[in-house]
Each structure stands twice: as C-alpha cells, then as structure tokens.
Amino acid sequence: MNSGEGCSEEIPLPSSPRELTQNPLKKIWIPCKNGLPEKHIFQRKVCMTNCPTLIVTVGLPARGKTYISKKLTRYLNWIGVPTKEFNVGQYRRECVKIYKSFEFFSPDNEEGLKIRKQCASAALNDVRQYLTDEGGQVAVFDATNTTRERRDTITRFAEQNGFKVFFVESVCEDPAVINENIVQVKLGSPDYTHCNTDEAVEDFMKRIKCYENSYQTLDEVLDRDLSYIKIIDVGRRYLVNRVQDHIQSRIVYYLMNIHITPRSIYLCRHGESDMNVKGRIGGDSGLSLRGKDFARRLGQFIQKQDISDLKVWTSQMKRTIQTAEGLNVPYEQWKALNEIDAGVCEEMMYEEIQDHHPLEFALRDQDKYRYRYPKGESYEDLVQRLEPVIMELERQENVLVICHQAVMRCLLAYFLDKSAEELPYLKCPLHTVLKLTPVAYGCKVESIFLNVDAVNTHRDRPENVNVHRTTEDALQTVPPHL
Amino acid sequence: MSHKQTKLTQNPLQKIWVPWMSSKLSRRRGSSVPQFTNSPTMIVMVGLPARGKTYISKKLTRYLNWIGVPTKVFNVGQYRRDAVRTYKNFEFFRPDNEEAMKIRKACARSALSDVGTYFMLEHGQAAVFDATNTTRERREIILSYAKDNGYKVFFIESICDDPEIIAENIKQVKLSSPDYIDCDKEEAVADFLKRIECYKVTYVPLDDDKDSHLSYIKIFNVGSRYLVNRVQDHIQSRIVYYLMNIHVTPRTIYLCRHGESELNLVGRIGGDSGLSPRGSQFAGALGKYIKSQSIPDLKVWTSHMKRTIQTAEALGVAYEQWKALNEIDAGVCEDLTYEEIQANYPEEFALRDQDKYRYRYPKGESYEDLVQRLEPVIMELERQENVLVVCHQAVMRCLLAYFLDKSAEELPYLKCPLHTVLKLTPVAYGCKVESVSLNIEAVNTHRDRPAVSACDRVAESS
C-alpha cells in the first residue's frame, strides 16, 4: 500500500461511483465490485514518500551514532514505518572474529581497510534487499562514514536503487560527553570483553585518532545539495539542510526533541475502578475502595522516590484524575491519554461482547493491533493519537504518566521496542508502577507492585480465534470478575 | 499529606473532571490546558527589509493562536507610521539621521511596552516582535527588557541573498505599503532598495559564537537551510517544526464537504451514512470541476467516513484517507436531530450555544478537541502544494479558521454549506478565498447562534 508525493493516478471517471464496503477488521471503507474489495485504496500512512529512504549516520566514534540509529529506528517502527538499522561495526565483528587492537583502524592498514570496505558493501547489499524486497521503508546505515569518498559511494548506490538519502551527522568535542559514551557503551562492547577498563579506554581513544585525520565533516558549501541534519554538542545546535519530504521532516523533529539527560519515566494505570471490579471495559467510572488505597500508596511511593521536578500527567478520565489527586502535586490532563474507545462495546463485559458481537470479538482476537471497535478505535489508532505524548515525553525529564491499560501498552511498546504483534498483549497490571530508566542503548524496567490487591484485567489471546468458535472457546481467557 | 479523598465533579461545558473544592482559596491542581511554557515568550524577528519577517510573523501568529497559544504581532514599522504620519523617502532610515534614530528607538520602546501590557494584562503567551533588529545593540535592549520581566526570548533570523526572491517580496507587499501610496512602481522599488542599503551598513547577523547562549533559528534562502540553536522548551520546539515545514511556493488548497448524505436529508447529525442522490450528483460535478481546474499534481484527502470517500471515488483519482479528518464526535448525540437533542438533553443543548467552541458533547468531542486532532493535517497541508480536502462541516470550519485567521468565537459559526468548494490561494500576507457553488441543491445544515438565552429557551425547531 503506497501513496504520496508524485503525480496522482488517473483512473477513468466511472459512470457511477463505485460501491463501498467496510473492511470488517479495521472498519475502513473500500471500493468493491460484486461485494468483493477492489483495488487497494490509499489510506493515510505516516511515510508519505514513494521511494524508500536511506538514513546515513556520519561522525567519529563515540559520538552517539548507534544510540541515535537505534532510537530513531525504534521510533519509526512504532509510528508504523518499517525501519531497520545496519551497523557496519557488527558486520566487521562477524568478519574479523577477534578484535586485537586499534591498529586495525589505522589508515595505513591496507588489510584492515579492505575488510572494512567489504563490510560496508555487504551492509549496503542487505540494505538494498531490505528496502527493495522485504518491504522496508527506511534503512539506517550506521557507520562513521567520515570521508566524502565513502559518502559519495553511498549516494551513488542510493541513486542507482531509487532511494532517497538523508545524512545524520553527530559532531561533539566535549570530552566529558565522549568519556561517558565510552563508559556506557564501549567498555561493554564485544571488542573489549578481554580488556580491563583502562586498557579499553586507552585503545578506544587511539581508535578515534585513526579517524580524525581523514574526517571530512558535512560542509555548508561542498555538500549544499545533500539532505542532512548536523547535530552539534548533543543537541545544543542543529544545522538542517534541504529536507525533502514528510518523513525527513518528522525525523528532524524527532532528533531535535530527544536528549540524553538522565531521568526516569514512571508508567502506571489508574487505581482499580468500579468498572474494573465488574469486569466491564471502558466507561468513565471512579475508583473502587482499593483503587483509592492505591492512589494513597502511589503518593507515598512518589514521595519516597524523591524525584526532582516530577511532572505528573493523567488522561481526562475520572479514574486517572482521582488517582493523581491522591498525590497532592500539580498534574496535567491530556485527552490524548484517554483509554481506547471501545465504541459500541463501551461498558460491556467480555461475556456481553461475545453475546452481542461474536464476530467482532473473534476478529479482535485475530488481529488485536489493527482491530477497530465499531464506532471506536484500534491500537493502531491509539499509537497515532499518542505520538505527541511520546514526543513530549522525549523532551521532558522526570515524568509520571497515570493512564490506562491499552494506552500504557502502547507507551511501553515504544520504550521497550515491542512489535505490533506483542503490543496488545503486554502485561500492565493494576496497582503496579513501571519505572523506566534509559541505559546504554535501551531502557531498564523496574516493576513495583504497591501491595494493594486488584482484579486482573489482562485477557490473553485464546487458542481458538475462528469466527465460528463456541462461546466457551471465546471466553476461555477472560479474567475472573464479580 | 492529605488523606481525605477529594471529590471530583465534571465541568458541564468541557466535561473536564475537577476537584470539588469547597474552599475557593485552594487552587486547582489539575490543568486541562496544554502547558506549552511556563513564562511568556518573546519571538524576535531579525533581518534586512524584504526578507519575509512580517510574512513569518503573521503566519506564525496565526498558527499559534489556532493551536491555542494567545499570540500577537507587534510590528514596529506600524508604530513608526503612527509616529511619523508621512513617509518621505529612504533618508529616514540612514544610519546618520539622528532625528529619525530617536523616533525609531522610541517606537521600539513603545512596542516593547505594549508587549509587556499584552503579557501582564491581556493573558498573552507569545508576542512576535516584528522589526529588523539588525544591530546587536537593539537586540541587547530587547534581551534586557525580557530578562527584567522574566520573559523567554527566541530569535528568528531570515537571511536571503537571492535577488529574485527579494524583488518578488517588494512587488507583493512593499509596493502596496502605506509608505508608497503616492509613488509610481519604479520610484518605490528604487527607494526601497536604498532603504535596504541603509540597514546593510550596520547589519550584524546573529553570530554562532558570540550569540551561542541565545535561542534562535536562522532561516537561509526561504528554507533550504536552517540553523537552530538552544531550543529551550516545548513552544520553541513547535515553532521550529512549523517554520521548517512552511514554504512560499504558489499553490491552491480546495476545501469542501462530502456530498449531501442520507442523514443530512433527515436532519440528523454525525453517523456514517452514504450519499443521497443529490450528494452523488455533487460528487460527479466535483469531479468535472476538478478536471476543469487542470491542477498539476493534485493530492486528494478524505476522512475515514463513508460519505467523504464516496465523494472522492467519483473523482477518479487516487486519494488518501485520514482518520484525523473524521467529523466531530457528537458522543451521546450521534445520529440525533436537533429537536431530539433539545428534547433529551436540553441542558447540553443550551451549554453548546453558550460556548460552542469549548463545549464537549458527553462522551464526544469539542471544537477545541478537533483543532488539536487536526494539527497534523494543517502541518502536512503546509508541506504540500495543491490539495483538495473532502471533509465535514465542523472539520472544515476548523481548517478554514486556520487559513482565514478566525477566532475561537467565530470558528464554530463559519458558513460551510454543502456542495460548495472553497478555493484558497495564499497571497501577500493572507489568503484569497473563492467560493464556488457547484449548483446542486442540498439541505442547509448551518445552525446560527440562537438569540434566546438558555433560561428563556422553549423547544423550537432550529
């Protein structure tokens, strides 16, 4: 399904408009003939570009290229743009099984240069396969790419294959930042498993030196026709040149909002609600007694954590606000954090949904991520709705987000890089706080149960998802309730 | 720590849950308005004349107001025109014209003072200080004024050496300026170019080293390159994103609603019905109209609702469906007639008429919610060139309000009749609107603000 920039296709004007049918899973209206869906319609997808995009990192070692590559890839995949990173260092490690020393990277090590060139080519080959044959839309080519010559090779490769190129250069001379990088991600690298810290640091510093002499930074004049962003000093300053399309614009916006200041993000649901207790979904009910107890405990927990400058966010639904009120601190209400809209199924129990809408119930189990409730939303819709929340979370530092089950699953999937298949089944139990702390290339998760009992609202995928299944099969995994 | 659970009550207009405070002194802890920034922000333009500063100022102000950030432009040139009734010639702007310098400085100070009033007394959140601000000295004055008052400062510098762009600017907005009302074209252009020269002598651009502690964006050659330095907060980040997405390439935006729907015919709101026979006729006529316009590279966008898609289908071109373009969710009032709403939810009906912009249907949305939902659509419209948006009444009102700079009060009452295409063309500092009725009868779905108040309201057909 592709759409976007370029000429609009001309289909001969029909004498009468085509019949429409509504896709039962996603509730999308599509043209049909004799009751069968016709050619693919164009549905708004994030990546509005005809050609795949090749993102190319540029920069000396320990400038955050891999950090940026992984983070950007995670973000793009989460918003629905199939993206994959290709780390040339990884290819090198597979080729040269044992890393001896920085000498491998010496500019006059011909053997080394040959191998490194081969690895870059192998990676580019895989890029081509991913973007052309495997349905990828964006590939992140993560390597130093510090010479104009190497970048020209890549640009030619992209031109030959019809890929757009966007460079992301990270420039940083702050020794404190570089040292911290080395500590966080280089010491633990497979290259240095057999070294002690001092040896590793010394060798890595010499490695950086090998690149310095031949480093040609993206130049305002010489590279004025390229599309790129230059990130200077971890985001103090940015130089953006020739953004070509929507996806590049979104990438720039994202890169300009992320930071590396240490902080923690706390995610939790509202306290147990009256609806929860009855086994009903959705609605806008208040907290049960146990839910109120949780709110109090949450307040105590937050106080004990002694978090500087904590921001608290809730949805605009009563149960999250009641929970926040128990904290006695200012909070912000976001409509975007409201629970998934279950449309005609709002306030029903799963048993009632099976009773009144057995087909819908089965479709949901077949593809829980894309399934949209009639007159409601899908997880896919939720992700789009939550994107501004994620963007602001990236900007912020310490934040506590009090939200809902489906919403929390979406946010968690972003931070923990979970796929669309896993997302709707992530476990987010009531009365449990997830503390997320960015570390190295990922996120550390701590789960803290605040010792107040609550119903279980998690419904696993049942074995039988066939539309003709029995009621018993359909309700196999419904958690117990009143 | 209080162990008493605060009761919550739901504000009847916006359906926002707020603590039920018996004590009027306790401040509400929960904010339901997005907190873009905690201090007011001064956005300060920098650049030689004819570099698009006023264009950017006005456009940015329009955008910020639309997304809910009260913003106002302070154009120092305007203050100067008020102070010096008649403009003679470029000599006024010579750097050695002491008399004029005094006046110009006074005008800047006067504008700054008005900025202060706007922030302190009029609840403004952002002020765009539109002037050349080309000397470090002038910028220092602004910075210390902001510092003394606790305002944040964000500079926007526009740098351009392309003589064609500058000539086009002069043609579009300078020749018709009050300064040149009595001049012929060639005289005006010659004088204006000399005016620019006056500034060039003392122009000190923002310096990446000396000014590295300031927050700013430099726009080079109408957006081919940007330099962004020290973005401090959310609002500055949004401003940067917006500036990086706008362009000046001429193009046209067409806005229209779906053809008349089955529910329209019976006076019901919302729902997801198909087109009536007249609606299908409109779709056909729209296709013919679009073809006759011969628009290069036209993008067509619809919502996810059947009636807009059916309309687009008749055009015979590729179209994209945006969920964000769906009609306002009327919650419990979906599929009802206004009479039924009056009968079943008279209080809601009255509240809506009191503040149609902020009023949220129970389990539904408000116009205010709609605007937030539509912001990505506006951002993409800014990036695009020729686009036809087939949408819905409330949605079209929101989009139109953005392009025509309508206030939150006017927005929900903008006239967007069925079977009428609005053709929007950017021109000078604003937007030209052409209303094209495709001559196919349809019901009128526009409901004006009623004259009677809630208390006097007797059920009447609207």
Side-chain angles (χ1 to χ4, degrees):
Chain A
M1 200 174 318
N2 74 318
S3 36
E5 287 158 75
C7 299
S8 27
E9 254 174 65
E10 278 283 333
I11 308 165
L13 270 173
S15 45
S16 55
R18 296 187 279 188
E19 284 286 305
L20 292 184
T21 182
Q22 197 178 38
N23 159 291
L25 181 80
K26 294 175 82 163
K27 313 298 186 290
I28 304 279
W29 288 102
I30 46 182
C32 69
K33 211 172 190 174
N34 302 324
L36 292 170
E38 254 203 25
K39 80 176 257 142
H40 272 215
I41 51 88
F42 299 87
Q43 195 207 140
R44 175 71 198 175
K45 279 278 182 199
V46 171
C47 185
M48 293 310 301
T49 169
N50 285 340
C51 351
T53 303
L54 178 57
I55 298 172
V56 182
T57 62
V58 179
L60 293 172
R63 263 56 177 182
K65 298 183 302 298
T66 301
Y67 176 82
I68 290 170
S69 300
K70 287 182 182 272
K71 207 170 158 76
L72 186 57
T73 300
R74 177 162 56 90
Y75 168 71
L76 290 173
N77 277 311
W78 186 75
I79 61 172
V81 181
T83 308
K84 193 169 169 190
E85 27 136 10
F86 297 83
N87 178 287
V88 177
Q90 211 29 57
Y91 284 73
R92 187 260 306 159
R93 273 183 278 274
E94 273 156 40
C95 189
V96 182
K97 293 290 167 184
I98 314 171
Y99 173 77
K100 287 206 196 82
S101 77
F102 75 95
E103 309 241 333
F104 180 81
F105 294 97
S106 166
D108 37 57
N109 180 344
E110 280 191 34
E111 179 70 29
L113 277 170
K114 220 170 49 172
I115 295 176
R116 289 156 70 195
K117 220 170 188 173
Q118 276 169 6
C119 289
S121 298
L124 280 181
N125 225 6
D126 287 352
V127 163
R128 182 206 339 260
Q129 193 173 325
Y130 177 65
L131 295 179
T132 314
D133 303 329
E134 292 172 28
Q137 265 174 48
V138 177
V140 184
F141 191 72
D142 177 18
T144 48
N145 299 316
T146 39
T147 61
R148 189 156 283 116
E149 186 203 349
R150 169 59 59 84
R151 297 194 291 267
D152 284 346
T153 309
I154 298 169
T155 308
R156 272 195 305 274
F157 162 83
E159 257 164 48
Q160 280 162 12
N161 289 283
F163 306 151
K164 287 186 181 174
V165 183
F166 187 74
F167 292 96
V168 177
E169 179 171 20
S170 174
V171 175
C172 179
E173 289 313 315
D174 183 343
V177 175
I178 297 167
N179 271 332
E180 183 61 23
N181 276 4
I182 296 178
V183 163
Q184 281 240 356
V185 296
K186 301 299 178 186
L187 298 184
S189 150
D191 292 343
Y192 294 112
T193 24
H194 302 299
C195 301
N196 73 39
T197 307
D198 289 333
E199 284 172 0
V201 173
E202 202 189 316
D203 183 271
F204 199 81
M205 289 301 206
K206 292 202 189 109
R207 205 154 119 177
I208 298 178
K209 275 257 165 309
C210 295
Y211 285 90
E212 272 176 9
N213 283 335
S214 56
Y215 183 17
Q216 293 165 302
T217 184
L218 286 169
D219 184 87
E220 237 170 66
V221 177
L222 293 171
D223 298 309
R224 64 179 171 277
D225 290 328
L226 299 180
S227 296
Y228 65 84
I229 179 171
K230 198 185 269 211
I231 305 171
I232 299 155
D233 290 338
V234 205
R236 191 155 305 158
R237 174 181 302 173
Y238 304 91
L239 230 146
V240 181
N241 199 63
R242 293 198 185 275
V243 169
Q244 296 174 54
D245 60 20
H246 177 93
I247 194 66
Q248 291 181 17
S249 163
R250 293 286 287 274
I251 289 166
V252 165
Y253 185 42
Y254 182 72
L255 292 176
M256 286 176 47
N257 280 314
I258 60 181
H259 67 77
I260 55 169
T261 311
R263 47 83 167 253
S264 289
I265 295 172
Y266 298 81
L267 298 181
C268 72
R269 291 166 66 187
H270 53 81
E272 183 191 67
S273 73
D274 289 324
M275 287 265 181
N276 288 145
V277 171
K278 299 194 193 117
R280 295 185 175 282
I281 65 171
D284 194 15
S285 61
L287 299 179
S288 67
L289 276 169
R290 297 195 296 194
K292 289 179 182 161
D293 197 10
F294 166 73
R296 275 191 286 271
R297 302 260 185 134
L298 182 64
Q300 287 163 358
F301 170 74
I302 292 300
Q303 270 222 334
K304 254 192 275 171
Q305 288 276 304
D306 201 21
I307 309 147
S308 65
D309 248 332
L310 178 72
K311 298 268 161 67
V312 179
W313 297 352
T314 70
S315 70
Q316 286 190 353
M317 297 181 136
K318 190 176 185 182
R319 50 201 188 276
T320 57
I321 297 165
Q322 269 186 310
T323 309
E325 278 288 321
L327 305 179
N328 249 313
V329 294
Y331 56 89
E332 241 181 271
Q333 299 185 14
W334 289 69
K335 186 171 196 275
L337 284 171
N338 279 7
E339 182 57 317
I340 191 172
D341 184 355
V344 301
C345 298
E346 277 284 318
E347 295 183 47
M348 287 191 178
M349 295 188 283
Y350 288 120
E351 292 83 350
E352 287 168 348
I353 302 176
Q354 168 62 22
D355 207 19
H356 299 279
H357 309 280
L359 170 64
E360 295 293 331
F361 204 39
L363 284 172
R364 184 156 208 253
D365 285 334
Q366 284 178 16
D367 189 344
K368 198 174 176 190
Y369 183 72
R370 281 166 206 83
Y371 170 81
R372 187 185 280 169
Y373 281 106
K375 302 193 175 177
E377 294 176 303
S378 61
Y379 271 95
E380 194 171 27
D381 294 328
L382 249 197
V383 161
Q384 203 169 66
R385 194 187 352 121
L386 286 168
E387 201 263 350
V389 177
I390 286 295
M391 197 62 87
E392 191 55 21
L393 272 173
E394 285 295 347
R395 289 198 55 80
Q396 292 288 343
E397 292 182 21
N398 295 317
V399 187
L400 163 65
V401 184
I402 303 172
C403 53
H404 305 266
Q405 182 165 251
V407 169
M408 187 163 159
R409 283 170 171 157
C410 293
L411 299 179
L412 199 58
Y414 167 75
F415 287 109
L416 303 185
D417 203 17
K418 299 294 183 187
S419 68
E421 281 56 52
E422 302 170 279
L423 188 161
Y425 296 102
L426 292 175
K427 285 209 162 65
C428 295
L430 287 164
H431 299 183
T432 307
V433 180
L434 291 185
K435 180 177 173 179
L436 305 165
T437 318
V439 71
Y441 293 137
C443 224
K444 182 176 88 170
V445 197
E446 256 178 82
S447 173
I448 304 126
F449 174 60
L450 293 193
N451 263 322
V452 180
D453 280 330
V455 295
N456 172 26
T457 58
H458 185 94
R459 185 178 161 269
D460 269 313
R461 186 177 201 254
E463 266 175 56
N464 190 346
V465 299
N466 190 290
V467 302
H468 302 296
R469 64 190 175 175
T470 62
T471 301
E472 201 190 318
D473 278 351
L475 299 176
Q476 179 200 12
T477 53
V478 171
H481 57 86
L482 275 184
Chain B
M1 154 113 70
S2 155
H3 286 279
K4 202 172 46 163
Q5 281 286 330
T6 342
K7 271 182 73 168
L8 293 185
T9 179
Q10 199 177 38
N11 155 295
L13 182 81
Q14 291 175 294
K15 313 299 187 288
I16 303 277
W17 287 102
V18 296
W20 186 79
M21 301 286 201
S22 43
S23 155
K24 297 236 181 346
L25 296 172
S26 34
R27 229 172 53 91
R28 215 187 93 198
R29 277 191 291 273
S31 149
S32 56
V33 173
Q35 302 286 289
F36 289 108
T37 176
N38 32 21
S39 359
T41 305
M42 280 191 66
I43 300 164
V44 182
M45 304 302 302
V46 181
L48 294 172
R51 262 59 177 179
K53 296 185 302 298
T54 301
Y55 175 82
I56 291 170
S57 301
K58 287 178 183 264
K59 206 170 160 76
L60 184 58
T61 299
R62 177 161 59 86
Y63 169 71
L64 290 174
N65 277 311
W66 187 76
I67 61 171
V69 181
T71 309
K72 194 169 168 188
V73 181
F74 295 83
N75 177 286
V76 179
Q78 207 35 58
Y79 284 73
R80 188 259 306 159
R81 275 183 277 274
D82 290 339
V84 183
R85 293 284 153 187
T86 344
Y87 171 75
K88 286 208 195 79
N89 61 36
F90 77 95
E91 309 253 3
F92 182 86
F93 293 97
R94 286 178 54 157
D96 50 353
N97 184 340
E98 280 189 34
E99 176 71 30
M101 272 301 181
K102 258 203 311 214
I103 297 174
R104 290 160 70 194
K105 216 171 189 174
C107 287
R109 286 215 176 274
S110 178
L112 275 181
S113 163
D114 286 352
V115 165
T117 308
Y118 178 62
F119 284 154
M120 295 290 97
L121 303 176
E122 296 171 39
H123 309 294
Q125 265 177 52
V128 183
F129 196 72
D130 178 18
T132 47
N133 299 318
T134 40
T135 60
R136 180 156 281 119
E137 184 207 352
R138 171 59 57 83
R139 296 196 289 267
E140 269 309 314
I141 293 175
I142 298 168
L143 281 165
S144 55
Y145 174 79
K147 187 160 182 222
D148 291 341
N149 289 284
Y151 308 149
K152 289 187 179 171
V153 179
F154 186 73
F155 292 95
I156 300 176
E157 181 169 22
S158 174
I159 295 167
C160 180
D161 348 335
D162 185 336
E164 269 180 45
I165 298 177
I166 297 167
E168 182 63 22
N169 276 5
I170 296 180
K171 198 174 96 184
Q172 282 238 357
V173 295
K174 301 298 176 189
L175 298 184
S176 52
S177 150
D179 291 344
Y180 295 110
I181 250 173
D182 298 310
C183 297
D184 83 8
K185 237 199 277 190
E186 271 157 32
E187 278 176 13
V189 173
D191 183 270
F192 197 83
L193 289 173
K194 290 201 194 106
R195 207 154 117 176
I196 298 178
E197 290 305 312
C198 293
Y199 281 93
K200 273 192 184 168
V201 177
T202 51
Y203 181 20
V204 179
L206 288 168
D207 186 280
D208 295 331
D209 290 312
K210 297 208 192 86
D211 297 315
S212 64
H213 56 292
L214 300 179
S215 296
Y216 61 85
I217 178 172
K218 277 193 201 183
I219 306 172
F220 295 89
N221 290 324
V222 205
S224 69
R225 194 163 92 245
Y226 304 91
L227 205 154
V228 181
N229 199 65
R230 285 192 188 274
V231 169
Q232 297 174 51
D233 60 17
H234 178 94
I235 192 66
Q236 291 181 16
S237 162
R238 295 285 287 276
I239 290 168
V240 165
Y241 185 42
Y242 181 72
L243 292 175
M244 286 175 44
N245 280 314
I246 62 181
H247 66 77
V248 292
T249 312
R251 49 80 169 256
T252 308
I253 295 171
Y254 298 80
L255 299 180
C256 72
R257 291 166 66 186
H258 51 82
E260 182 190 69
S261 72
E262 299 287 357
L263 283 180
N264 285 146
L265 269 182
V266 294
R268 294 185 176 282
I269 66 171
D272 194 14
S273 61
L275 298 180
S276 70
R278 296 196 297 197
S280 297
Q281 265 187 298
F282 166 73
L286 183 63
K288 290 206 189 78
Y289 170 72
I290 290 301
K291 254 203 146 103
S292 74
Q293 289 277 299
S294 287
I295 308 146
D297 252 331
L298 178 72
K299 298 272 161 64
V300 179
W301 297 352
T302 69
S303 69
H304 274 194
M305 297 179 137
K306 190 176 185 182
R307 50 199 188 278
T308 57
I309 296 165
Q310 274 184 311
T311 308
E313 275 288 314
L315 304 179
V317 297
Y319 57 88
E320 268 177 66
Q321 297 186 16
W322 289 68
K323 186 169 195 278
L325 285 171
N326 278 7
E327 181 58 314
I328 192 172
D329 184 354
V332 301
C333 298
E334 279 282 319
D335 292 304
L336 300 185
T337 62
Y338 286 122
E339 292 82 358
E340 285 166 351
I341 301 176
Q342 169 62 41
N344 293 306
Y345 306 98
E347 274 173 35
E348 293 294 329
F349 205 39
L351 280 171
R352 185 156 208 252
D353 286 335
Q354 280 176 23
D355 190 344
K356 199 173 176 190
Y357 184 73
R358 279 164 207 85
Y359 170 81
R360 186 185 281 169
Y361 282 105
K363 302 193 177 179
E365 294 177 302
S366 62
Y367 272 95
E368 195 171 27
D369 294 329
L370 250 197
V371 161
Q372 205 168 64
R373 201 196 331 133
L374 287 168
E375 200 264 352
V377 177
I378 287 294
M379 197 62 86
E380 190 57 18
L381 273 173
E382 285 295 344
R383 289 198 56 80
Q384 292 290 342
E385 292 183 21
N386 295 317
V387 187
L388 163 65
V389 184
V390 182
C391 54
H392 305 266
Q393 183 166 248
V395 169
M396 187 163 160
R397 284 172 171 155
C398 292
L399 299 178
L400 198 58
Y402 166 75
F403 288 109
L404 302 186
D405 203 16
K406 298 295 183 187
S407 68
E409 281 55 54
E410 302 170 277
L411 188 161
Y413 296 102
L414 293 176
K415 285 206 162 68
C416 295
L418 286 165
H419 300 184
T420 308
V421 181
L422 289 186
K423 182 176 171 180
L424 303 166
T425 322
V427 72
Y429 293 138
C431 222
K432 182 176 87 171
V433 197
E434 252 180 82
S435 173
V436 183
S437 164
L438 293 195
N439 273 320
I440 304 208
E441 291 278 315
V443 295
N444 173 22
T445 57
H446 186 92
R447 192 176 159 274
D448 269 314
R449 193 196 182 131
V452 282
S453 76
C455 335
D456 316 335
R457 181 86 57 86
V458 166
E460 58 183 37
S461 48
S462 35

